[in-house]
Amino acid sequence: MTILDIVNAVKAPYTVWRTLHGIEPLCRDGRPIFISGNASVLFKVWHEGRLKMLKCYTRKHPYLKEIYGSDFLPREVYVTSLLGSQWVDCLLYDYIEGKTLDERLCEASQAGDYAPLAAGFDRMANRLLAAERKHGDLNCENIIVDSDNQFHPIDFDAAFVPSLAGRPSVEVGTTAYQHPARNEKLFDQHIDDYSIAFISTLLNAAVFDPSLFENFSSTHTPAILPHEIVAGHCNRLDSIIDQFARHGDAVHYRIARMLTSQWPRLFNLKSTIAYSDSGSLADSSEDDSLEQEGGLWGCRNSSGWVVAPLYDDGFDPTEGYMVVSLGGYTHLISIESHRVVHSFEKGTTAKPVKDGQLGIRLQDGSRQSISLDALLQNSSE
């Protein structure tokens, strides 16, 4: 059986379907529009008045029922060829209008293009890490970005669900987005950890350095690769980590540092990336105080964390602001907005706000006192 045999079967009005009726493939010049992959052929079709995707498998996949549930249609279409005939497994699901993340990245050209993509990806990552079904092959071609900048992972053929625990995976994902130690034995709720951390790092770093994707439209390959990172041969990652520290982006500073892990399971990823949503933080109150968790510092009150515990060091908040340090940089955080409102040059340290003033010590050892109002005004310019 060839791909052409499947295409002809989907098009033909007399083809035998086991359960489906009224499948109408979208055509160009009288031929169905399709995409062929390693193990399937994908069609855009009309079915019961709705636009859907029909996926026909060219070979057996043992876990499709567990992964897709009722969307999986075993032995659905009868395909005839010169070598004989056979029933082919199918998948039918709603079409998602949008562009792949790969396409969106090819269109991007400046820093402002990457911020919404980075935020959208992190929102999707939080949902995926909380879900029972993990993806298994996250890459820029397997994510659809809709007109509202919502991210939708597609093609779950490599997915893990709890009922598959203890079995080997049948796929290990796309090499350019996977940890080099990923193999068929690593098949559990952590299979997406590394690819999530990797893509999140690239997208958020591009907000500061768009050159990370300047060749993407021609190569469709990330500017840095997991095997280089894990082997310690990626100086560009060091620069990315320093940029996150410079801007006080503690969430992505911690995630980027995880990429050097010698093991694909990133146990702190889920709790760390959750802080990318400011809605996960508590409102400021009178009992705000400096606290640590796992050796990292933040600000907490009786309702929860007000400033995420992701910083190297810090002081108790005063007058609505908190001084913290990250990767050698000192930052001033507004407790009310949970945001960094001023970042100092590397090596400059600061004391907590007192009577509207900050005492700072410069890298050369000299000391200064700066009014909070003047500091905030300079930061906004």
Side-chain angles (χ1 to χ4, degrees):
M1 179 186 62
T2 66
I3 290 173
L4 182 59
D5 294 327
I6 294 177
V7 173
N8 289 335
V10 170
K11 177 189 176 184
Y14 48 79
T15 293
V16 178
W17 299 82
R18 186 175 62 84
T19 65
L20 295 175
H21 303 282
I23 292 289
E24 298 180 22
L26 272 67
C27 295
R28 181 183 296 121
D29 299 327
R31 299 292 296 171
I33 302 169
F34 68 92
I35 301 172
S36 61
N38 291 330
S40 63
V41 188
L42 195 63
F43 302 87
K44 189 185 295 186
V45 301
W46 285 104
H47 179 249
E48 296 181 345
R50 296 169 65 182
L51 197 56
K52 298 184 179 183
M53 299 302 293
L54 174 71
K55 190 172 189 177
C56 301
Y57 289 88
T58 57
R59 61 174 180 257
K60 293 293 182 181
H61 186 307
Y63 303 153
L64 294 179
K65 181 62 179 177
E66 287 91 343
I67 293 171
Y68 292 111
S70 60
D71 287 339
F72 174 57
L73 307 170
R75 295 171 54 83
E76 178 58 38
V77 59
Y78 195 64
V79 178
T80 301
S81 72
L82 294 175
L83 300 177
S85 302
Q86 68 182 78
W87 289 97
V88 170
D89 296 338
C90 294
L91 194 68
L92 186 68
Y93 55 94
D94 287 339
Y95 173 74
I96 301 171
E97 186 69 45
K99 297 181 178 181
T100 65
L101 178 56
D102 183 278
E103 291 172 309
R104 290 290 299 270
L105 289 172
C106 289
E107 295 171 351
S109 60
Q110 54 189 358
D113 297 329
Y114 296 102
L117 295 178
F121 179 84
D122 285 352
R123 288 194 298 270
M124 184 203 74
N126 274 309
R127 296 194 303 270
L128 190 57
L129 288 168
E132 284 194 341
R133 184 173 70 168
K134 309 305 180 184
H135 190 277
D137 188 19
L138 277 183
N139 62 62
C140 293
E141 293 183 345
N142 279 344
I143 300 170
I144 299 293
V145 185
D146 67 22
S147 58
D148 295 324
N149 211 53
Q150 295 299 311
F151 280 51
H152 306 269
I154 59 172
D155 190 359
F156 279 81
D157 287 2
F160 170 83
V161 292
S163 62
L164 296 177
R167 300 194 226 176
S169 63
V170 295
E171 301 180 34
V172 293
T174 304
T175 301
Y177 296 88
Q178 296 290 335
H179 193 285
R182 168 95 187 269
N183 57 37
E184 67 278 357
K185 294 180 180 179
L186 196 151
F187 193 46
D188 58 20
Q189 67 270 25
H190 292 285
I191 59 172
D192 293 326
D193 287 3
Y194 199 87
S195 51
I196 284 175
F198 182 66
I199 298 172
S200 177
T201 294
L202 288 175
L203 293 177
N204 283 280
V207 175
F208 308 124
D209 181 12
S211 69
L212 277 166
F213 288 99
E214 65 182 355
N215 297 319
F216 190 82
S217 60
S218 57
T219 66
H220 298 273
T221 302
I224 58 177
L225 295 170
H227 72 271
E228 298 172 342
I229 294 171
V230 174
H233 301 149
C234 186
N235 293 334
R236 195 159 192 181
L237 178 64
D238 296 334
S239 176
I240 289 170
I241 290 171
D242 184 72
Q243 281 291 338
F244 286 140
R246 177 185 295 274
H247 289 84
D249 187 344
V251 169
H252 298 103
Y253 173 82
R254 295 298 169 195
I255 292 173
R257 286 170 60 95
M258 293 178 193
L259 294 178
T260 62
S261 168
Q262 295 299 302
W263 192 240
R265 295 184 177 97
L266 306 179
F267 294 103
N268 292 328
L269 176 65
K270 182 178 179 181
S271 60
T272 301
I273 202 169
Y275 290 122
S276 62
D277 176 10
S278 60
S280 65
L281 298 170
D283 291 333
S284 176
S285 67
E286 293 182 355
D287 63 335
D288 294 339
S289 64
L290 177 73
E291 287 196 30
Q292 68 86 26
E293 182 176 81
L296 299 176
W297 297 89
C299 175
R300 190 182 179 96
N301 60 33
S302 56
S303 298
W305 290 102
V306 181
V307 173
L310 299 173
Y311 294 90
D312 298 329
D313 204 350
F315 293 92
D316 278 313
T318 58
E319 301 182 25
Y321 294 90
M322 182 179 183
V323 174
V324 297
S325 62
L326 183 70
Y329 295 90
T330 298
H331 306 280
L332 185 66
I333 294 178
S334 165
I335 300 300
E336 182 178 354
S337 68
H338 317 290
R339 293 190 306 105
V340 171
V341 294
H342 184 80
S343 299
F344 296 92
E345 290 298 319
K346 196 168 191 176
T348 297
T349 59
K351 292 183 177 181
V353 178
K354 183 178 180 181
D355 298 327
Q357 300 285 317
L358 277 94
I360 64 171
R361 181 175 180 174
L362 302 177
Q363 195 169 11
D364 62 7
S366 62
R367 299 175 183 272
Q368 295 181 4
S369 181
I370 303 177
S371 76
L372 178 62
D373 288 343
L375 192 71
L376 297 179
Q377 184 175 354
N378 290 335
S379 298
S380 63
E381 293 177 352

